Amino acid sequence: MSFALQSGETLGILGESGSGKSTLAAALLRLLPAQGRIERGVVYFEGQDLLRAASRELEKTRGGRLALIFQEPSLALHPAIRIADQIGGVIAAHKSLARRAVREQALQILAAVFPSAVERIANSYPHQLSGGQRARVLIAQAISCGPSLIVADEPTASLDPEMQEEILALFRALRQKFNLSVIWITHNPLMLQGFADRVLVLYAGRVVETGPTSSVLSSPRHPYTQALLRCLPPGMAGGLANHKQCLPVIPGEAFVSVAAAEGCRCLFEPRCVERMVICTEREPEMIQLSSTHGASCFKHAD
């Protein structure tokens, strides 16, 4: 895949579980697990190719100019270290400050994401906080060294809808205050509505549709994007909820074989209700439907 991100822009990465969203986030920061490797490509960030950066340079960038918010706060936070010390650890790793100055800066960062009880939060252990509070702590950790880009890997996945809205509102405020660029990863299209500027729809590690969020969500052109939006419960999608109505699902499995990954067929073809013969022969190229909206589907080929 190939994409660019502008300063101050929010890019949504949308796809179901197994589509490659978290793998993309880890690859951008060279944090793939031991069994993963990047065979080719470049990741240009502020004039530097992160894939070829020396370890010391990469350590300065990660957590400094480029931050990652992990998916599950209860796993990302150390259970036996107080919150202020965890944030302070990030600050100390990137700035030469005295211990008291590190503590003061950690409290200032916490005050930016918590409306009250900053001292209590700072002196707490993760298990003493609610899920929403732990999510805010991860955000505080991410912004502690003034990054220009935050990669957020489904940071609200374990939260209830009300808390999700609070976290989104917090991100909007922080984005405006610090001129942040954000890559927001989610499986829920509604999380991107009114929040992300553009969206990439991922399937099996490849971009199948891209464009302005309003355009992609209101007029999806790829069968996979259309299928994702059909899976939204009617009440969530803006219609009237019918509690006796079965929720639609995308047929088939998301698993992709090695042969399919090599590009000898359209990856979504086995699950697509609009598949054609050509879909079994090769992978479609990205077709520009407008100057900003593209879809990888033979339906739109000339």
Side-chain angles (χ1 to χ4, degrees):
M1 69 181 68
S2 178
F3 64 90
L5 184 67
Q6 304 301 319
S7 176
E9 184 181 26
T10 296
L11 176 67
I13 307 293
L14 176 64
E16 62 187 326
S17 297
S19 62
K21 306 186 302 297
S22 294
T23 301
L24 171 62
L28 290 175
L29 281 79
R30 277 172 54 185
L31 289 174
L32 289 172
Q35 68 270 27
R37 69 178 185 271
I38 301 173
E39 295 185 338
R40 61 185 179 273
V42 294
V43 178
Y44 282 118
F45 175 70
E46 296 186 340
Q48 181 185 32
D49 183 4
L50 299 184
L51 301 187
R52 289 159 182 79
S55 297
R56 187 175 295 273
E57 289 299 318
L58 193 60
E59 289 173 2
K60 292 179 181 178
T61 301
R62 285 195 303 226
R65 299 296 296 157
L66 173 58
L68 172 63
I69 298 177
F70 291 95
Q71 185 169 348
E72 183 48 63
S74 60
L75 298 178
L77 294 171
H78 197 294
I81 300 178
R82 297 183 190 274
I83 296 304
D85 293 331
Q86 297 201 46
I87 296 175
V90 177
I91 297 171
H94 293 276
K95 298 181 179 180
S96 299
L97 297 175
R99 186 171 183 177
R100 178 175 293 183
V102 169
R103 167 83 180 186
E104 290 176 355
Q105 187 164 334
L107 292 176
Q108 291 174 3
I109 294 298
L110 285 171
V113 299
F114 284 96
S116 60
V118 173
E119 281 287 347
R120 181 184 67 81
I121 298 293
N123 294 320
S124 297
Y125 293 100
H127 73 272
Q128 297 174 312
L129 304 179
S130 67
Q133 289 172 331
R134 288 194 291 265
R136 287 175 180 264
V137 168
L138 286 187
I139 295 172
Q141 223 174 18
I143 67 172
S144 60
C145 291
S148 62
L149 171 60
I150 291 180
V151 180
D153 186 7
E154 301 213 48
T156 63
S158 60
L159 304 179
D160 60 69
E162 183 178 352
M163 186 56 63
Q164 287 180 350
E165 285 299 322
E166 288 187 16
I167 297 299
L168 283 177
L170 174 61
F171 254 96
R172 289 189 185 97
L174 293 175
R175 183 178 61 179
Q176 185 173 5
K177 182 176 180 179
F178 298 109
N179 192 33
L180 291 171
S181 299
V182 179
I183 296 178
W184 186 275
I185 295 172
T186 183
H187 64 274
N188 183 359
L190 296 183
M191 292 290 293
L192 302 177
Q193 200 166 34
F195 177 68
D197 301 301
R198 288 188 299 125
V199 61
L200 300 182
V201 182
L202 252 60
Y203 185 79
R206 299 185 183 182
V207 178
V208 296
E209 186 164 0
T210 179
T213 304
S214 57
S215 175
V216 172
L217 297 187
S218 63
S219 302
R221 306 298 296 275
H222 193 282
Y224 176 61
T225 313
Q226 295 168 357
L228 282 178
L229 295 176
R230 281 197 298 268
C231 290
L232 290 174
M236 294 178 63
L240 296 176
N242 182 351
H243 297 294
K244 295 184 179 181
Q245 179 180 346
C246 291
L247 294 177
V249 297
I250 303 176
E253 298 292 333
F255 174 77
V256 180
S257 68
V258 174
E262 292 298 324
C264 52
R265 65 184 294 176
C266 174
L267 298 179
F268 188 59
E269 179 271 331
R271 308 175 70 191
C272 183
V273 297
E274 301 180 61
R275 57 184 176 268
M276 301 179 287
V277 174
I278 193 174
C279 301
T280 64
E281 299 171 350
R282 59 188 175 91
E283 182 74 10
E285 300 290 334
M286 180 66 66
I287 298 170
Q288 287 301 128
L289 306 171
S290 70
S291 59
T292 57
H293 195 161
S296 176
C297 182
F298 288 116
K299 289 194 310 177
H300 307 297
D302 293 334

